[in-house]
Amino acid sequence: MSQSDRVVIFDTTLRDGEQCPGATMTFEDKLATAVMLDEMGVDIIEAGFPIASEGDFEAVSAIARQCKRATVAGLARAIEGDIVRAGQAVRHARQPRIHTFVSTSPIHLAHQMRKTEDEVLAIITRTVAQARDLVADVEWSAMDATRTPVDYLCRCVDAAIKAGATTINLPDTVGYALPDEYRAMFREVRERVPNADKAVFSVHCHNDLGLAVANSIAGLEGGARQIECTINGIGERAGNAALEEVVMALKTRQDSLPYTTGVDATWLTRASKQVSAVTAFPVQFNKAIVGRNAFAHESGIHQDGMLKNASTYEIMTPESVGVSKTSLVMGKHSGRHAFKEKLKELGYELGDNALQDAFKRFKDLADKKRHVYDEDLVALVDEEIGQGHDRIKLQALTVIAGTLAQTATLTLDVDGVHHTRQGVGNGPVDAIFGTIRAIVPHEAELDLFQIHAVTGGSDAQAEVSIRLKHDNRSATARGADPDTLVACARAYVAALNKLTGRQKASVEIEA
Ligand code: KIV
Ligand code: ZN
């Protein structure tokens, strides 16, 4: 396979993904996600839009410093201030990239930009050259490329390459293109622009018609060699092309798609879970590659075939995308060593203190639950990792539910001091959240509240996701426990810890 068959994977989970409603991530979530993307072999991480806010700028800078392998890109409109800010944010990356874009379609020029074609051409030349003065690696995107007449698109691409762009991205911004059209657009632009071979061409597809992955692959056939995508396909409106689907389509269909990527596919399941957890965007059960049913065989005929030979109904193995066979974990008599080894197998290496805390919780869980599965451990450890050095910790909870007034009696440890309160509410969950609010007064509002069972069975752990929002900030966190109400309290406290960050939590002193 020649070098030209290597496809660059450009992940924009932290930019296009994060900008969609409800997917806001905290600084820590972004950093952890970027580290994961770097480790799994993503080539380019678009870390954010530095001009958008101080928080975005700081996150992009921190990611730029932290990533060991990947190029780190910052997005900038075709505006001088944006480009300067993006350059500052990525400058400490091993390989910094500025990604600048401008609309090129007649609809955008007339209604959004109110500029002529010639004015936009001049903007492209000026802003790409400005970015090139700051970094050697500049990507230029023609926003709404798929609704741009190809003659004008060629002139824009020509101007961008002449000004120094090293990557040319032709996005299907509104998810309108069909695969044949998208393939043909790349072929034509690459044929007609004289210096097209000086740049790598890139696809960026939105999923409004459910064609983002198909279009991305068609773009490769048209000569593109970079795919912009997101974990779980999160992104504006119907989302972007899903990274896991792109990677596995290329891997599984080598017979007709002779391309390689640098992504280690065994990370895909974990990456999906991580992004789903920090955004609280659930992954649909039948989602390709990472949905919980993606490798489940239900019908009798399928099960019969699978027992005889897995290739009858499986085009890729669950292990190839990092799904470990659901197995019984040790019981309550298992020791620390076995627990540590099991966590290693699941991809976790905890420090001594975190391991000790997780082990204690595992023992408590094994006391309550007959079978402890890998999924139970993942939920427990993810929550433990999320907690870090939290200032507020749940110590004890008793709830009266049912037809009487629903009451919660709650003890929180806040900065090492125990506070106990009792409160009533409209239902037990409301009583718990109200009591937390009484102990630690805060103005944040509950923005999302989700519960699901980690495994099957009526003794399954409940995993609760909570998002709290205050002003422009929001924080999402999870809590897991066999008792659904305890899981609710854990999740709320975890979200509050994340939202208040390192600030000292103010406590309502009891009279
Ligand atoms: O969809 C789009 O056109 C974009 C650009 C900023 C690349 O996200
Ligand atoms: Zn986009």
Side-chain angles (χ1 to χ4, degrees), residues 70-211:
T71 294
V72 177
L75 186 70
R77 289 167 299 181
I79 296 176
E80 197 183 332
D82 278 38
I83 293 171
V84 169
R85 201 78 178 127
Q88 288 168 342
V90 298
R91 85 186 138 154
H92 292 295
R94 282 172 179 241
Q95 298 174 80
R97 172 178 289 194
I98 294 178
H99 174 194
T100 183
F101 69 98
V102 70
S103 291
T104 52
S105 69
I107 301 178
H108 283 213
L109 260 58
H111 303 295
Q112 194 176 12
M113 305 200 39
R114 292 171 212 263
K115 298 229 182 285
T116 65
E117 288 191 347
D118 284 345
E119 283 170 331
V120 170
L121 276 169
I123 290 172
I124 294 169
T125 301
R126 191 180 68 245
T127 52
V128 170
Q130 186 204 343
R132 251 325 274 270
D133 284 343
L134 299 174
V135 292
D137 184 348
V138 173
E139 171 169 339
W140 175 75
S141 288
M143 197 179 209
D144 207 14
T146 49
R147 293 192 298 170
T148 303
V150 76
D151 285 351
Y152 182 60
L153 189 58
C154 287
R155 288 171 64 205
C156 292
V157 170
D158 186 42
I161 296 176
K162 280 191 179 129
T166 44
T167 298
I168 296 292
N169 181 34
L170 303 181
D172 186 25
T173 304
V174 291
Y176 178 74
L178 300 177
D180 282 350
E181 295 164 358
Y182 203 52
R183 184 187 301 109
M185 179 186 74
F186 278 92
R187 281 204 179 126
E188 187 166 354
V189 173
R190 291 184 66 252
E191 268 166 29
R192 286 179 51 182
V193 173
N195 47 7
D197 60 329
K198 303 271 185 305
V200 173
F201 277 72
S202 173
V203 299
H204 177 115
C205 299
H206 281 270
N207 206 28
D208 300 67
L209 295 175
L211 292 170

Side-chain angles (χ1 to χ4, degrees), residues 343-361:
L343 291 192
K344 227 189 227 171
E345 194 187 308
L346 293 171
Y348 296 96
E349 299 238 20
L350 301 188
D352 285 348
N353 290 343
L355 182 71
Q356 186 56 35
D357 291 349
F359 184 61
K360 186 178 171 315
R361 283 197 54 197

Side-chain angles (χ1 to χ4, degrees), residues 11 19 21 95 98 104 111 129 131 198 211 218 232 270 280 315 382 404 460 508:
D11 180 278
Q19 83 190 35
Q95 298 174 80
I98 294 178
T104 52
H111 303 295
K198 303 271 185 305
L211 292 170
N232 296 335
R270 191 161 164 204
I315 58 166
D382 278 348
L404 299 172
E508 184 81 337

Side-chain angles (χ1 to χ4, degrees), residues 390-430:
D390 287 346
R391 316 186 66 109
I392 312 166
K393 295 189 181 83
L394 176 69
Q395 289 300 318
L397 174 67
T398 314
V399 181
I400 300 172
T403 49
L404 299 172
Q406 291 88 26
T407 313
T409 308
L410 186 79
T411 304
L412 295 181
D413 174 326
V414 185
D415 291 322
V417 182
H418 285 194
H419 302 266
T420 302
R421 280 268 180 140
Q422 195 171 67
V424 290
N426 293 320
V429 174
D430 190 45

